[in-house]
Amino acid sequence: MVRCYIKCKDYFFYIIVELDRFKNGLKKLSEASSLIGVMQEELVALGPQIEEKSKEVEQLMEKLQRDAEAVEEIRAIVKVDEAFMAEETQIVQDYAEQATQELNEVLPVLEQAILALGALDKGDISEIRVYTSPPTLVLTVMYAVCILLQKSPTWTTAKLLLGDPSFLKQLVNLDKDNIPEKVFQSLKIYSKRSNFNPDRVGAVSTACRSLCQWVLALENYNTVKKVGAVQPKQQRVAEAKEALGIAREKLKTKQRSLNLIEDHQQSLQDLYNKTVSQKESLANRKYLATNRLIRASLLISALGEEKVRWKQFIHELDKCIKGIVGDTLLSAASITYYGVFTAQYRRRIMEEWLRLCTSSDVPISPDYTLVKDTVEKNQVRKWQNKGLPPDHYSMENAILVMKGRCWPLMIDPQGQACKWISQMEGKQLSVIAAKHPKCMKTLETAIRMGQPALLTVSMTEELDPSLRPILLKVISTRAGQDYIKIGETEVEYNRNFR
C-alpha cells in the first residue's frame, strides 16, 4: 500500500500544477492591467526620439554621398598608379630575368670546372709541385692560376701556392664577380695560346687539366658578364629598381592617404548604420508596444468573465489541496484493497475509512470519491468510448486495472473487460490463451518489447507454474538492466510491459 500511496501522489501533484497554472493566469491578467499605463507612456516618449533619429540619418546620408565621390576620385588615381607600377615592375623583372638567364648559361661550365677541382687530391697537387723544370704547358697553366689569384706569375710563386693546404679551397671559393678587369687582360697572354686547352694540357698533367678548365671557365664567365652586356644590364636593372622603389614609396603614401579617407568613410558608414539601427529599434519598440497594448486590452476585455471563473476554480483547488493527504491515503487504500469487494461492501469500507480519518484528524476533501479524485473526467470519457460500462463500479474497476501495482485478475463472463482492454490497447495487444502451445513464447516476446498482453484462462484450467514469476513480478536488476526468469531462461524485462 505504501508504494501505491507514493504512486497516487502523482495525480495530486498534477492538481498542484494545475493550481499554479491558474494562479499564473491570474497573475498575467494583473500584469497586463498594470502594463497598459506603462506602455501608453512609452508610446508617447518614443515619437520624438524616432523623429530625431530620422533627421540624423538624413544628415549622415548626405555627408556619406559627398565623401563617397571624393574617395572614388582618389581611388581612381591610385588605381592608375598601381597599374603603371605593376607594368613597370614586370618590365624590370623580365629584363633582370634575361640578364640572369644569359649569365646562368655559362655557370654550368664553371661549376663543372669546380667539380673537377674538387676531384683533385694532395697526390695530384704534389705531382705538379715536384717538378724542378716543369713542362711548358704546366708552367703556362700555373702562371694563369697565379694571375687569377693576383700573384706574381713565377714558378716559385706557383710552388708556394701548391704547397698551401688550402690551395684548392682558395680556387673553389674565389670571388668570381669581383676580380679586376686588368687581371683578365693579363690572363690573355696565356689563355689565348693555341695549346691552352684541357685536352692538350691533360696529355701532360691530369691535375693541370682541371686547373686549365677552371681558368677558361672563369675567363668565359667574365666575358659573358662584362663584355656580353650582362653587367650593364644588371646595372640598368638596379637603377630601374631604385627608381621603382622611389615611385613605390610615393604610391604607398597615396595608398595610406586613401586608407585614411576610406577609414573615415567607414566610420561615417558605421555611424550611419548604428543610427539607422537605433531608429529601427525605436520603431520596433513602438510597434511592439502598440501591439502589446492592443493585445493587453483585448485580453483583459475577453478574459473578464474568465477571471471570475479562475478565482472560483483556484478556491476549489485550494480546498482540494487541504485534503490532499487524506485523499491520497484513501485512494491508495482503495486501489490496494478494493479488488475482490462488491460495490456495496466498497461503500461500507469507505465509510469506515472516512470515520477513522476524521477521528484521527487526517484532512479529507468533503466530497471525496475515488473516481473524481483519481482520474480526470476526460479520461473516464475516453474509457467509456472504448467500451467501459458507465456505472460507478466499472469505473472504479478501471482505475484498479490502470493504477494497481499488481496485474489485474478479471472474472469476465460477459466479455466486457476483454473488449474494453482490446480497444484501449489496439493492435499492439497480444491476446493469449493459457492452453496455447506458444503461450510462453508470446509472453516472452511481449516482456522483451514492452508490449501489452491479455492472458485468457477458463475456470477449469490450471496455470503453468512458469507463469508464477511473471504474475508475481519477480524482477531482478543487474548493471541497470531488469530481468525476469521464465522457466530456466532469464529474459530482459521492459518496464512498459503490462
Side-chain angles (χ1 to χ4, degrees):
M1 177 178 167
V2 173
R3 293 183 181 178
C4 190
Y5 178 84
I6 295 171
K7 187 175 180 180
C8 287
K9 285 199 303 183
D10 294 341
Y11 177 72
F12 295 103
F13 287 149
Y14 166 76
I15 293 176
I16 295 173
V17 171
E18 285 293 294
L19 180 61
D20 289 340
R21 190 164 66 89
F22 279 101
K23 285 182 177 179
N24 284 334
L26 286 177
K27 182 180 178 182
K28 294 295 181 184
L29 284 176
S30 177
E31 289 176 353
S33 299
S34 61
L35 283 175
I36 288 178
V38 176
M39 287 185 287
Q40 287 175 338
E41 293 176 0
E42 184 179 2
L43 282 174
V44 173
L46 284 174
Q49 295 180 28
I50 294 174
E51 185 177 351
E52 181 182 352
K53 289 297 177 182
S54 300
K55 291 180 180 179
E56 291 181 11
V57 168
E58 292 176 0
Q59 293 172 357
L60 286 171
M61 176 59 75
E62 293 176 0
K63 191 170 184 180
L64 272 174
Q65 290 176 347
R66 291 195 302 270
D67 289 353
E69 294 174 359
V71 169
E72 284 302 321
E73 291 177 2
I74 298 175
R75 188 179 287 121
I77 295 172
V78 172
K79 190 173 182 180
V80 171
D81 289 350
E82 288 175 345
F84 175 77
M85 184 64 62
E87 184 179 353
E88 290 297 313
T89 302
Q90 187 62 45
I91 293 173
V92 172
Q93 184 176 349
D94 293 342
Y95 200 65
E97 288 177 356
Q98 181 184 356
T100 303
Q101 184 177 0
E102 292 175 4
L103 194 60
N104 287 342
E105 289 175 358
V106 299
L107 285 177
V109 178
L110 180 61
E111 290 173 357
Q112 186 176 1
I114 291 173
L115 288 175
L117 288 178
L120 297 177
D121 55 21
K122 292 181 179 180
D124 297 324
I125 301 301
S126 298
E127 173 193 329
I128 304 172
R129 189 172 173 230
V130 295
Y131 284 124
T132 306
S133 298
T136 304
L137 284 178
V138 172
L139 281 174
T140 303
V141 171
M142 289 310 301
Y143 290 166
V145 171
C146 289
I147 289 174
L148 285 174
L149 294 177
Q150 300 183 49
K151 304 290 184 181
S152 175
T154 63
W155 177 241
T156 303
T157 304
K159 289 184 72 174
L160 289 174
L161 289 173
L162 291 169
D164 189 346
S166 63
F167 172 64
L168 292 176
K169 189 174 181 181
Q170 288 182 48
L171 301 185
V172 171
N173 297 330
L174 183 64
D175 187 0
K176 60 183 180 295
D177 294 315
N178 292 311
I179 300 175
E181 185 60 30
K182 64 181 181 179
V183 171
F184 287 100
Q185 293 297 329
S186 302
L187 182 65
K188 289 180 181 180
I189 300 172
Y190 305 101
S191 64
K192 297 304 178 183
R193 294 180 182 180
S194 59
N195 59 354
F196 194 86
N197 65 73
D199 293 333
R200 296 283 294 275
V201 174
V204 177
S205 171
T206 303
C208 283
R209 185 181 193 280
S210 298
L211 292 173
C212 179
Q213 284 180 329
W214 177 75
V215 170
L216 291 175
L218 272 180
E219 186 179 38
N220 188 30
Y221 175 82
N222 180 72
T223 301
V224 172
K225 182 179 179 183
K226 296 180 179 178
V227 180
V230 173
Q231 190 171 18
K233 287 181 181 178
Q234 289 179 329
Q235 290 176 352
R236 285 196 292 273
V237 168
E239 292 170 358
K241 285 183 177 179
E242 185 179 355
L244 282 176
I246 296 171
R248 192 174 287 112
E249 287 299 321
K250 292 181 179 179
L251 178 60
K252 286 182 179 179
T253 302
K254 292 181 181 179
Q255 288 173 334
R256 283 194 292 269
S257 300
L258 177 61
N259 290 336
L260 290 174
I261 296 173
E262 286 179 338
D263 290 343
H264 176 66
Q265 185 188 28
Q266 185 61 46
S267 64
L268 282 178
Q269 184 66 49
D270 294 341
L271 180 59
Y272 172 78
N273 294 338
K274 182 179 178 181
T275 307
V276 171
S277 177
Q278 290 174 347
K279 177 187 172 184
E280 291 175 352
S281 176
L282 290 171
N284 188 46
R285 281 176 57 190
K286 182 178 180 180
Y287 173 78
L288 290 176
T290 303
N291 286 341
R292 286 174 180 170
L293 182 61
I294 294 172
R295 288 196 295 267
S297 301
L298 291 174
L299 181 66
I300 292 173
S301 175
L303 297 180
E305 295 181 359
E306 286 294 314
K307 184 176 181 180
V308 176
R309 189 177 68 83
W310 288 356
K311 286 182 178 179
Q312 183 180 356
F313 193 75
I314 290 172
H315 178 69
E316 293 176 359
L317 287 179
D318 283 333
K319 289 195 300 182
C320 182
I321 293 296
K322 292 178 181 178
I324 193 169
V325 175
D327 294 350
T328 304
L329 180 62
L330 291 175
S331 297
S334 300
I335 293 170
T336 304
Y337 300 115
Y338 262 12
V340 298
F341 298 149
T342 62
Q344 182 180 2
Y345 191 79
R346 288 179 184 179
R347 285 194 296 272
R348 287 173 54 191
I349 198 172
M350 180 55 70
E351 291 173 358
E352 180 65 21
W353 286 344
L354 288 170
R355 185 184 62 78
L356 286 172
C357 288
T358 303
S359 62
S360 300
D361 294 328
V362 178
I364 303 170
S365 299
D367 53 349
Y368 169 82
T369 64
L370 177 63
V371 176
K372 182 177 73 67
D373 286 69
T374 308
V375 292
E376 296 183 46
K377 292 180 180 180
N378 289 339
Q379 184 61 56
V380 174
R381 192 175 298 111
K382 288 180 183 179
W383 288 346
Q384 291 174 349
N385 291 337
K386 296 294 184 180
L388 181 71
D391 60 280
H392 190 78
Y393 186 68
S394 296
M395 286 188 285
E396 287 183 342
N397 287 339
I399 293 172
L400 302 185
V401 170
M402 301 305 291
K403 296 187 178 293
R405 183 173 176 274
C406 299
W407 303 129
L409 172 62
M410 295 173 287
I411 301 173
D412 189 28
Q414 296 178 351
Q416 291 178 329
C418 185
K419 177 184 176 182
W420 172 61
I421 290 176
S422 298
Q423 292 187 6
M424 282 289 295
E425 300 295 345
K427 294 181 179 180
Q428 284 192 336
L429 179 68
S430 300
V431 182
I432 315 161
K435 61 183 179 181
H436 195 280
K438 293 185 178 181
C439 172
M440 297 305 297
K441 189 67 177 176
T442 306
L443 272 176
E444 182 179 333
T445 302
I447 290 171
R448 290 182 187 273
M449 302 300 294
Q451 296 175 343
L454 179 62
L455 184 65
T456 60
V457 186
S458 66
M459 296 297 293
T460 58
E461 284 185 78
E462 291 186 3
L463 292 176
D464 189 334
S466 299
L467 290 170
R468 181 179 177 83
I470 301 175
L471 298 177
L472 296 180
K473 293 187 178 180
V474 182
I475 302 169
S476 59
T477 304
R478 293 197 307 274
Q481 175 62 51
D482 295 331
Y483 295 90
I484 190 168
K485 193 169 185 180
I486 303 176
E488 298 299 325
T489 306
E490 270 196 335
V491 179
E492 291 183 1
Y493 185 83
N494 191 316
R495 288 287 177 178
N496 293 324
F497 169 73
R498 55 196 182 281

